[in-house]
Amino acid sequence: MVNGIKIMHEMTQCSKKSNVDEAEKLGKREVAAILFCSVVYTGLGYLMKWFDRNYTATLCFFFYMLFCYSCIWLIYMIKRMMDTAFLNQELEQFKNRKNLNKE
């Protein structure tokens, strides 16, 4: 049981370090990852002539990628807040049941 808890803890710690969308806050590492991915996608788009090497369209695509990553991060932040509220509510219900069973 204890090993399972340790493994779950390690898995959540790894996901917090590597996933931009699961980050608790938007720090330097997450911003760097977002910028890096956006630059890579934009560079590939330019090299593969996705927009006929039109600078304006490629630049708009870069900002679109930044916007998408930001939206994804915000959606997951809202989801985490809702999950936290739900888990806190369940915890209170569990405590109340436990207290009722003792009486």
Side-chain angles (χ1 to χ4, degrees):
M1 176 82 173
V2 174
N3 288 337
I5 293 172
K6 286 182 183 178
I7 291 170
M8 289 298 290
H9 178 70
E10 289 173 10
M11 287 172 59
T12 57
Q13 293 305 312
C14 289
S15 69
K16 286 180 184 175
K17 292 178 184 174
S18 61
N19 290 339
V20 171
D21 57 355
E22 292 290 333
E24 292 294 324
K25 62 181 178 113
L26 209 53
K28 291 178 185 177
R29 177 180 282 182
E30 291 81 19
V31 170
I34 288 171
L35 287 173
F36 176 76
C37 291
S38 296
V39 166
V40 167
Y41 280 121
T42 304
L44 287 173
Y46 183 77
L47 291 176
M48 294 182 185
K49 299 180 185 179
W50 288 351
F51 306 107
D52 295 327
R53 293 200 174 150
N54 181 336
Y55 290 117
T56 305
T58 304
L59 187 63
C60 287
F61 180 69
F62 174 75
F63 287 115
Y64 172 74
M65 292 300 299
L66 291 177
F67 177 73
C68 288
Y69 279 117
S70 301
C71 287
I72 290 168
W73 184 80
L74 286 171
I75 288 167
Y76 276 103
M77 183 183 73
I78 293 168
K79 179 185 174 291
R80 279 193 310 275
M81 288 172 33
M82 292 170 57
D83 287 345
T84 300
F86 179 71
L87 289 173
N88 285 337
Q89 181 184 11
E90 281 188 335
L91 179 62
E92 287 301 319
Q93 290 173 351
F94 177 75
K95 285 179 181 179
N96 289 337
R97 268 192 309 221
K98 191 175 179 182
N99 289 339
L100 289 175
N101 289 340
K102 284 184 180 181
E103 294 175 355

